Amino acid sequence: MKAVVAAAGALGLVLLTSVPASAAGDEVLFAFSDPTISEASALTPLGKGLYATTNDSGDSGRVFTVDSRGDTVGVTHWAADPVDVEGLAPAGGNHVWVGDIGDNNSVWDSIRIAKVRVGRGERTVSPTVYELVYPDGPHNAESLLAHPDGRVFVATKDWGGGRLYAVPKRLDPDAPNRLKEVAPVIPMATDGAFFPDGKHLVVRGYYSATIYDWPSMDRVGSFRTPDQEQGEAIGVTAKGEIVVTSEGIRAEVIRVDPELVSEVLGDEPSPTPDPNTADQADPASNDEAENKDGDPDAGGSLGPVALVALAVAAYFIFRKRK
């Protein structure tokens, strides 16, 4: 066990030196004051200074609404006993998509998502729960994303490189809904979000995050995320600012330096988003995607970088609270 942790820590330094260091302009916005928010695995800005978050496995199905001071101002109870809630994504109005998508051992035949109302006040809801199935067998996942046009996506947390899958536009509440593979993403993805312009998305791991163009899924660039206990969550505000948080009691919500994000995005124009892209995407066309600039988180076949991700993954799996 000690050898695994030591190896993971040493190899993790390789990842940290492969992307720019944390920016001096990172800003702590607030810390969660509610001690029941102990394993924040997702973060979705709701606007008007409110944020939604949820604990991962081991908690009941509930979503917390938190204000800009870090105080819990609302709780939505939506399920008594979910399997492993890991992701949130904006769903328009006062709603978010909740992803019961965690599967550490990659054994479940299906995963689930539900659209729930959030906001100030306490409520109990009974949303329609939609069952999703991967086209290529079970995967572990922690990242739920929603394009501004409403399309929902799941990014898998695979050691050798994750994959982005599109949720069907029309969901059947009475039968499994088949996901469609879109493109590779970084190994060990822990969360992701689209930018409000719909032209970019960001996917993070424990130490860094990568921005992609949409719908091409070309890698734009990467940056190191702020150091936190077990940083897993990421969100994008209506202004295009990136915010992150971590597991742990009274974890901080940090805004990533906007200048760093602008630097990564650059001035190159992005392709106009096409709401039909996910249906038309040819997964095979992305299998040989170029690993630009030696990106340590770029997807692809298993190699030295994937082995680094594997070692880091082992560390967090052993460390993860049950």
Side-chain angles (χ1 to χ4, degrees):
M1 174 63 181
K2 291 182 179 179
V4 171
V5 173
L11 289 172
L13 293 176
V14 176
L15 283 176
L16 291 177
T17 57
S18 300
V19 293
S22 297
D26 293 345
E27 179 184 358
V28 176
L29 300 180
F30 59 84
F32 297 122
S33 63
D34 185 348
T36 61
I37 302 176
S38 58
E39 297 193 17
S41 188
L43 184 67
T44 295
L46 301 174
K48 298 182 179 179
L50 299 180
Y51 299 80
T53 189
T54 186
N55 290 322
D56 64 11
S57 59
D59 197 5
S60 61
R62 54 181 174 171
V63 180
F64 301 88
T65 299
V66 179
D67 67 14
S68 58
R69 295 175 299 181
D71 296 331
T72 297
V73 296
V75 181
T76 298
H77 303 269
W78 69 275
D81 190 23
V83 176
D84 187 359
V85 176
E86 292 283 359
L88 294 176
N94 296 318
H95 291 78
V96 296
W97 287 103
V98 182
D100 190 1
I101 56 178
D103 185 3
N104 287 333
N105 297 317
S106 299
V107 295
W108 302 117
D109 292 332
S110 63
I111 56 176
R112 290 146 296 282
I113 62 172
K115 185 178 180 180
V116 306
R117 182 177 177 82
V118 294
R120 296 180 181 272
E122 187 158 355
R123 60 184 59 81
T124 298
V125 298
S126 298
T128 301
V129 177
Y130 299 98
E131 185 178 8
L132 310 176
V133 294
Y134 293 100
D136 53 350
H139 291 272
N140 186 30
E142 295 187 2
S143 308
L144 193 68
L145 306 84
H147 190 275
D149 69 6
R151 192 72 183 271
V152 180
F153 299 82
V154 176
T156 62
K157 186 182 181 183
D158 295 323
W159 292 353
R163 293 275 167 172
L164 186 71
Y165 292 83
V167 174
K169 292 181 180 179
R170 295 184 179 180
L171 289 164
D172 186 340
D174 301 316
N177 296 269
R178 188 177 179 86
L179 296 167
K180 183 177 180 63
E181 186 176 332
V182 177
V185 293
I186 61 171
M188 300 304 295
T190 62
D191 200 9
F194 276 89
F195 283 75
D197 64 3
K199 297 179 180 180
H200 298 95
L201 65 150
V202 60
V203 181
R204 74 164 293 176
Y206 290 111
Y207 297 114
S208 65
T210 296
I211 295 176
Y212 299 91
D213 267 327
W214 182 261
S216 70
M217 285 302 291
D218 291 333
R219 174 190 168 275
V220 176
S222 297
F223 60 92
R224 178 175 167 181
T225 52
D227 293 334
Q228 292 185 288
E229 178 181 338
Q230 188 169 324
E232 292 193 1
I234 195 166
V236 183
T237 71
K239 295 180 179 179
E241 296 176 334
I242 293 179
V243 289
V244 299
T245 194
S246 167
E247 293 196 0
I249 295 175
R250 295 182 174 84
E252 294 175 334
V253 171
I254 301 174
R255 185 192 67 178
V256 176
D257 185 353
E259 291 187 5
L260 173 62
V261 176
S262 296
E263 181 182 342
V264 173
L265 286 172
D267 297 324
E268 295 182 4
S270 301
T272 302
D274 180 356
N276 298 316
T277 298
D279 287 332
Q280 299 169 355
D282 178 7
S285 66
N286 291 302
D287 286 343
E288 301 299 327
E290 182 181 2
N291 181 359
K292 299 181 181 179
D293 303 326
D295 179 11
D297 289 330
S301 59
L302 190 64
V305 170
L307 293 177
V308 173
L310 176 63
V312 176
Y315 167 68
F316 281 104
I317 288 173
F318 285 122
R319 170 185 174 180
K320 183 95 171 165
R321 290 186 285 272
K322 302 294 184 184

